[in-house]
Amino acid sequence: MKKFCVNCGVEESESTPIIKGLCPRCYIEIKGLVTRPRSVEIGYCRICGGVRVHGKWIYVQSLEELKDVIEDFFIELLKPSEEFTLEDIDVTFTPYEDSPAAINILGKLEEVKISHTVMVMVSWRASLCPLCKKIVGGSHSAVIQLRYVNADREIEDFVNSIAKEFEKWIKEVKPVKNGYDIQLLDASLTKRIVEAAKRKWRAVKVVESHGDVKRTSSGQRVSRLYVSIRILNFKAGDYIIISGIPYTVESFDGTWLVLRDGSGNISKVHFADLSRNLSKYRIGKR
Ligand SMILES: [Zn+2]
Ligand SMILES: [Zn+2]
């Protein structure tokens, strides 16, 4: 008597062996070829891109090397079922970005060659590897002091996009009064962040300064770069004080600020003239 699959009823044949009462297709569906976690977490170094797997740091020079490491990691993680012989896997994944990885499993289910794909969610956890920790000494070399007149959606989007784009080089994004202090591991990035702010808003005032001068163990003088980015995103109704006189903002088109004083007189100020004396301005809400 011919054996048949108890699930779909297909009869046994040379290409369709019945394994534990199931055809290969139903076996994969019901028993599965491998047991696997639904999700995994992989640590990585946000500076050099090294990965931490099974508690050990592995340094990679290229995406191919990273792929090898990730495949070795998954090979150790997957537990083949009794009847399945795992021969190889091929993992498709997005490096350093939380996303599902497609693991193509190759092997033999009894004598039948099988190729089957399973998905595992990969979360990447950024940190510093011991080598890079030594190099940066845990300290940051620049601080962006991002300030603005009005906290709005555009500001929020900007901070989020900066945090994402420069993730590897940001030590911390710290919310402070009227803004954010963004601590950067590399001072050269301040220019790119300033340019990004200027692309988004015309009315931006930038001031650079140096502080926290220290001597390194080799006797070199190092200082921290502070870059203040002030975004003048005035909105109608803002209440500002210029040289002691209070005004209400009538309108702002990104260049010209139209102000009304207490007697109802209207004046027009270019943002560049404003920013030169910005420290004299006190901006608040009525
Ligand atoms: Zn079947
Ligand atoms: Zn590293």
Side-chain angles (χ1 to χ4, degrees):
M1 199 183 90
K2 275 212 162 160
K3 288 202 259 180
F4 61 92
C5 173
V6 296
N7 188 53
C8 70
V10 74
E11 273 197 356
E12 183 169 45
S13 70
E14 207 171 307
S15 61
T16 314
I18 299 300
I19 304 147
K20 291 261 159 108
L22 296 167
C23 71
R25 221 185 52 186
C26 294
Y27 184 98
I28 291 170
E29 195 181 303
I30 292 164
K31 291 202 71 174
L33 298 175
V34 292
T35 53
R36 63 180 198 280
R38 284 167 145 264
S39 63
V40 294
E41 196 177 273
I42 299 174
Y44 73 98
C45 173
R46 60 182 166 197
I47 293 195
C48 69
V51 282
R52 190 183 178 150
V53 287
H54 303 302
K56 235 174 64 189
W57 281 99
I58 299 171
Y59 297 95
V60 292
Q61 299 298 322
S62 62
L63 285 180
E64 287 71 44
E65 280 186 33
L66 177 63
K67 189 172 152 75
D68 287 345
V69 170
I70 297 303
E71 286 178 351
D72 289 349
F73 169 73
F74 276 114
I75 286 247
E76 263 187 70
L77 218 59
L78 303 175
K79 301 270 174 284
S81 68
E82 217 177 298
E83 294 77 22
F84 181 65
T85 313
L86 181 61
E87 289 175 340
D88 198 9
I89 62 169
D90 181 67
V91 183
T92 307
F93 65 102
T94 313
Y96 312 118
E97 217 173 90
D98 291 357
S99 55
I103 306 170
N104 190 236
I105 298 168
L106 304 160
K108 275 186 179 160
L109 186 56
E110 304 243 283
E111 285 316 302
V112 185
K113 267 197 164 303
I114 295 280
S115 151
H116 178 66
T117 301
V118 295
M119 307 297 285
V120 174
M121 184 65 200
V122 180
S123 322
W124 295 83
R125 177 156 291 194
S127 66
L128 287 178
C129 74
L131 291 180
C132 293
K133 206 179 258 172
K134 249 186 215 160
I135 294 166
V136 301
S139 79
H140 50 282
S141 65
V143 181
I144 293 270
Q145 298 167 314
L146 187 75
R147 302 292 184 268
Y148 39 78
V149 179
N150 287 295
D152 59 14
R153 187 61 198 264
E154 281 190 317
I155 297 282
E156 205 179 297
D157 288 349
F158 181 70
V159 172
N160 288 340
S161 72
I162 294 295
K164 198 167 172 4
E165 184 174 353
F166 301 106
E167 190 199 7
K168 286 184 182 187
W169 305 98
I170 289 176
K171 193 182 165 218
E172 199 187 348
V173 178
K174 210 162 75 184
V176 294
K177 195 168 180 272
N178 288 325
Y180 292 90
D181 281 356
I182 303 169
Q183 299 178 352
L184 295 167
L185 297 173
D186 181 10
S188 70
L189 292 177
T190 56
K191 280 197 179 62
R192 288 172 60 188
I193 295 176
V194 165
E195 280 162 20
K198 285 184 168 169
R199 268 198 306 274
K200 193 158 175 139
W201 296 275
R202 248 177 305 168
V204 173
K205 178 185 156 72
V206 178
V207 178
E208 286 191 12
S209 57
H210 287 268
D212 307 339
V213 182
K214 277 193 305 196
R215 248 176 224 288
T216 63
S217 50
S218 57
Q220 214 185 342
R221 264 166 58 96
V222 288
S223 65
R224 192 163 285 162
L225 173 65
Y226 286 86
V227 180
S228 153
I229 301 178
R230 184 145 209 179
I231 297 157
L232 303 174
N233 57 346
F234 295 106
K235 284 186 168 47
D238 282 346
Y239 176 68
I240 64 176
I241 294 176
I242 302 170
S243 309
I245 302 165
Y247 295 93
T248 302
V249 173
E250 284 288 306
S251 66
F252 183 55
D253 62 3
T255 305
W256 289 97
L257 188 63
V258 180
L259 299 169
R260 178 193 294 270
D261 69 12
S263 329
N265 299 315
I266 299 288
S267 52
K268 215 172 166 187
V269 186
H270 193 280
F271 85 83
D273 297 331
L274 253 184
S275 52
R276 228 171 278 142
N277 297 305
L278 193 70
S279 55
K280 291 180 188 164
Y281 292 73
R282 202 146 54 78
I283 297 156
K285 289 276 178 198
R286 202 198 291 270

